[in-house]
Coordinates of all heavy atoms in Angstrom, one line a residue:
Y1 N -10.3 -18.4 1.6 CA -9.2 -17.5 1.6 C -7.9 -18.4 1.6 O -7.8 -19.2 2.5 CB -9.3 -16.5 2.8 CG -10.5 -15.7 2.8 CD1 -11.6 -16.1 3.4 CD2 -10.5 -14.6 2.0 CE1 -12.8 -15.3 3.3 CE2 -11.7 -13.8 1.9 CZ -12.8 -14.2 2.6 OH -13.9 -13.4 2.5
Y2 N -7.0 -18.1 0.7 CA -5.8 -19.0 0.7 C -4.5 -18.2 0.9 O -3.4 -18.8 1.1 CB -5.7 -19.8 -0.5 CG -5.6 -19.0 -1.8 CD1 -4.4 -18.7 -2.3 CD2 -6.8 -18.7 -2.5 CE1 -4.3 -17.9 -3.5 CE2 -6.7 -18.0 -3.7 CZ -5.4 -17.6 -4.2 OH -5.4 -16.9 -5.4
D3 N -4.6 -16.9 1.0 CA -3.3 -16.1 1.2 C -3.7 -14.7 1.7 O -4.5 -14.0 1.2 CB -2.6 -15.9 -0.2 CG -1.2 -15.4 -0.1 OD1 -0.6 -15.4 1.1 OD2 -0.6 -15.0 -1.1
V4 N -3.1 -14.4 2.8 CA -3.3 -13.1 3.5 C -1.9 -12.6 3.7 O -1.1 -13.2 4.4 CB -4.1 -13.2 4.8 CG1 -4.1 -11.9 5.6 CG2 -5.4 -13.9 4.6
N5 N -1.6 -11.4 3.2 CA -0.4 -10.7 3.2 C -0.4 -9.4 3.9 O -1.3 -8.6 3.6 CB 0.2 -10.5 1.9 CG 0.5 -11.8 1.1 OD1 1.3 -12.6 1.6 ND2 -0.2 -12.1 0.1
A6 N 0.5 -9.1 4.8 CA 0.6 -7.8 5.5 C 0.9 -6.7 4.4 O 0.5 -5.6 4.6 CB 1.6 -7.8 6.6
L7 N 1.6 -7.1 3.4 CA 1.8 -6.2 2.3 C 1.5 -6.9 1.0 O 2.0 -8.0 0.7 CB 3.3 -5.7 2.2 CG 3.7 -4.7 3.2 CD1 5.2 -4.4 3.2 CD2 3.0 -3.4 3.1
S8 N 0.5 -6.4 0.3 CA 0.1 -7.1 -0.9 C 1.1 -7.2 -2.0 O 2.0 -6.3 -2.1 CB -1.2 -6.4 -1.5 OG -1.7 -7.2 -2.6
N9 N 1.1 -8.2 -2.8 CA 2.0 -8.3 -3.9 C 1.3 -7.7 -5.2 O 0.3 -8.3 -5.6 CB 2.3 -9.8 -4.2 CG 2.9 -10.5 -3.0 OD1 3.8 -9.9 -2.4 ND2 2.5 -11.7 -2.7
F10 N 1.9 -6.7 -5.7 CA 1.3 -6.1 -6.9 C 2.1 -6.5 -8.1 O 3.2 -6.9 -8.1 CB 1.3 -4.5 -6.7 CG 0.3 -4.0 -5.8 CD1 0.7 -3.6 -4.5 CD2 -1.0 -4.0 -6.1 CE1 -0.2 -3.2 -3.6 CE2 -2.0 -3.5 -5.2 CZ -1.5 -3.1 -3.9
V11 N 1.4 -6.4 -9.2 CA 2.1 -6.6 -10.5 C 3.2 -5.7 -10.7 O 3.3 -4.6 -10.1 CB 1.1 -6.6 -11.6 CG1 0.0 -7.6 -11.5 CG2 0.4 -5.2 -11.8
A12 N 4.1 -6.0 -11.6 CA 5.3 -5.2 -11.8 C 5.0 -3.8 -12.4 O 5.7 -2.9 -12.0 CB 6.3 -6.0 -12.8
D13 N 4.0 -3.7 -13.2 CA 3.6 -2.4 -13.8 C 2.3 -2.0 -13.3 O 1.3 -1.7 -14.1 CB 3.7 -2.6 -15.3 CG 3.6 -1.2 -16.0 OD1 3.8 -0.1 -15.4 OD2 3.4 -1.2 -17.2
A14 N 2.1 -1.8 -12.1 CA 0.8 -1.5 -11.4 C 0.2 -0.3 -12.0 O -1.1 -0.3 -12.3 CB 1.0 -1.4 -9.9
R15 N 0.9 0.8 -12.3 CA 0.3 2.1 -12.7 C -0.5 1.8 -14.0 O -1.6 2.3 -14.2 CB 1.4 3.1 -13.0 CG 0.7 4.4 -13.4 CD 1.8 5.5 -13.4 NE 2.4 5.8 -12.2 CZ 2.0 6.5 -11.2 NH1 0.7 6.9 -11.2 NH2 2.7 6.7 -10.1
N16 N 0.1 1.0 -15.0 CA -0.6 0.7 -16.2 C -1.7 -0.4 -16.1 O -2.6 -0.3 -16.8 CB 0.4 0.3 -17.3 CG 1.2 1.5 -17.7 OD1 0.7 2.6 -17.8 ND2 2.4 1.3 -18.0
V17 N -1.6 -1.3 -15.1 CA -2.5 -2.4 -15.0 C -3.7 -1.9 -14.2 O -4.9 -2.2 -14.6 CB -1.9 -3.6 -14.3 CG1 -2.8 -4.7 -14.1 CG2 -0.7 -4.1 -15.3
I18 N -3.5 -1.3 -13.1 CA -4.6 -0.9 -12.2 C -4.9 0.6 -12.2 O -5.9 1.0 -11.6 CB -4.5 -1.4 -10.7 CG1 -3.3 -0.8 -10.1 CG2 -4.4 -2.9 -10.7 CD1 -3.1 -1.1 -8.6
G19 N -4.1 1.4 -12.8 CA -4.3 2.8 -13.0 C -3.8 3.7 -11.9 O -4.0 5.0 -12.1
F20 N -3.0 3.2 -11.0 CA -2.3 4.0 -10.0 C -1.2 3.3 -9.4 O -1.2 2.0 -9.5 CB -3.3 4.6 -9.0 CG -3.8 3.4 -8.0 CD1 -3.2 3.2 -6.8 CD2 -4.9 2.7 -8.4 CE1 -3.7 2.2 -6.0 CE2 -5.4 1.7 -7.6 CZ -4.8 1.4 -6.4
D21 N -0.3 4.0 -8.7 CA 0.8 3.3 -8.1 C 0.4 3.0 -6.6 O 0.3 4.0 -5.8 CB 2.0 4.1 -8.1 CG 3.3 3.5 -7.5 OD1 3.1 2.5 -6.8 OD2 4.4 4.0 -7.7
P22 N 0.1 1.8 -6.3 CA -0.3 1.5 -4.9 C 0.7 1.8 -3.8 O 0.3 2.1 -2.7 CB -0.6 0.0 -4.9 CG 0.2 -0.5 -6.1 CD 0.3 0.6 -7.0
F23 N 2.0 1.8 -4.2 CA 3.0 2.1 -3.2 C 3.0 3.6 -2.8 O 3.3 4.0 -1.6 CB 4.3 1.6 -3.6 CG 4.3 0.1 -3.6 CD1 4.4 -0.6 -4.8 CD2 4.3 -0.6 -2.5 CE1 4.3 -2.0 -4.9 CE2 4.3 -2.0 -2.5 CZ 4.3 -2.7 -3.7
E24 N 2.5 4.5 -3.7 CA 2.4 5.9 -3.3 C 1.3 6.0 -2.2 O 1.5 6.8 -1.3 CB 2.0 6.8 -4.5 CG 3.1 6.8 -5.6 CD 2.7 7.6 -6.8 OE1 1.5 8.0 -6.9 OE2 3.6 7.7 -7.7
S25 N 0.2 5.3 -2.4 CA -0.8 5.4 -1.4 C -0.3 4.8 -0.1 O -0.7 5.3 1.0 CB -2.1 4.6 -1.8 OG -2.5 5.3 -3.0
L26 N 0.4 3.7 -0.1 CA 0.9 3.1 1.1 C 1.9 4.0 1.8 O 1.8 4.2 3.0 CB 1.7 1.8 0.7 CG 2.4 1.1 1.9 CD1 1.5 0.7 3.0 CD2 3.3 0.0 1.4
V27 N 2.8 4.8 1.1 CA 3.7 5.7 1.7 C 2.9 6.8 2.4 O 3.2 7.2 3.4 CB 4.7 6.2 0.7 CG1 5.5 7.4 1.2 CG2 5.7 5.1 0.3
D28 N 1.9 7.4 1.6 CA 1.0 8.4 2.2 C 0.3 8.0 3.5 O 0.4 8.7 4.5 CB -0.1 8.8 1.2 CG 0.5 9.5 0.0 OD1 1.6 10.0 0.0 OD2 -0.3 9.7 -1.0
Y29 N -0.2 6.7 3.5 CA -0.8 6.2 4.7 C 0.2 6.1 5.9 O 0.0 6.5 7.0 CB -1.4 4.8 4.4 CG -1.9 4.1 5.6 CD1 -3.1 4.4 6.2 CD2 -1.1 3.0 6.1 CE1 -3.6 3.7 7.3 CE2 -1.6 2.4 7.2 CZ -2.8 2.7 7.8 OH -3.3 2.0 8.9
L30 N 1.4 5.6 5.6 CA 2.4 5.3 6.7 C 2.9 6.7 7.2 O 3.1 6.9 8.4 CB 3.6 4.6 6.1 CG 3.3 3.1 5.8 CD1 4.5 2.4 5.1 CD2 2.8 2.4 7.0
E31 N 3.1 7.7 6.3 CA 3.4 9.0 6.7 C 2.4 9.6 7.6 O 2.6 10.3 8.6 CB 3.7 10.0 5.5 CG 5.0 9.7 4.8 CD 5.2 10.6 3.6 OE1 4.2 11.1 3.1 OE2 6.3 10.6 3.1
M32 N 1.1 9.4 7.3 CA 0.0 10.0 8.1 C 0.0 9.3 9.4 O -0.1 9.9 10.5 CB -1.4 9.7 7.4 CG -2.6 10.2 8.2 SD -3.3 9.1 9.4 CE -3.6 7.7 8.5
R33 N 0.2 8.0 9.5 CA 0.3 7.3 10.9 C 1.4 7.9 11.7 O 1.3 8.0 12.9 CB 0.5 5.8 10.6 CG -0.6 5.0 9.9 CD -1.8 4.7 10.8 NE -1.4 4.0 12.0 CZ -1.8 2.7 12.3 NH1 -2.5 2.1 11.4 NH2 -1.4 2.2 13.4
A34 N 2.6 8.1 11.1 CA 3.8 8.6 11.7 C 3.5 10.0 12.2 O 3.9 10.3 13.4 CB 5.0 8.5 10.9
R35 N 2.9 10.8 11.4 CA 2.6 12.2 11.8 C 1.7 12.3 13.0 O 1.9 13.2 13.8 CB 2.0 12.9 10.6 CG 1.8 14.4 10.7 CD 1.3 15.1 9.5 NE 2.0 14.7 8.3 CZ 1.5 14.1 7.2 NH1 0.2 13.9 7.2 NH2 2.2 13.8 6.2
F36 N 0.7 11.4 13.1 CA -0.2 11.5 14.2 C 0.2 10.6 15.4 O -0.5 10.3 16.3 CB -1.6 11.2 13.7 CG -2.2 12.2 12.8 CD1 -2.2 12.0 11.5 CD2 -2.6 13.4 13.4 CE1 -2.7 13.1 10.7 CE2 -3.1 14.4 12.6 CZ -3.2 14.3 11.3
G37 N 1.4 10.0 15.3 CA 2.0 9.3 16.4 C 1.4 7.9 16.6 O 1.4 7.4 17.7
V38 N 0.8 7.3 15.5 CA 0.2 6.1 15.6 C 1.2 5.0 15.2 O 1.8 5.2 14.0 CB -1.1 6.0 14.7 CG1 -1.7 4.5 14.7 CG2 -2.1 7.0 15.1
G39 N 1.5 4.1 16.0 CA 2.5 3.1 15.7 C 2.1 2.3 14.4 O 1.0 2.1 14.1
V40 N 3.2 1.9 13.7 CA 3.0 1.0 12.6 C 3.6 -0.2 12.9 O 4.8 -0.3 13.1 CB 3.7 1.7 11.3 CG1 3.5 0.8 10.1 CG2 3.1 3.1 11.0
A41 N 2.9 -1.3 13.0 CA 3.4 -2.6 13.4 C 3.9 -3.4 12.2 O 3.5 -3.2 11.1 CB 2.2 -3.4 14.0

């Protein structure tokens, strides 16, 4: 393992390369954490 990132680096056109926008999923996850009062470090 040579690189571990708290936020992954995605390609510029992720939707076309991997088939979805990973940042939409990240926002959904962070909103869920905030809604249930779980801290986001």
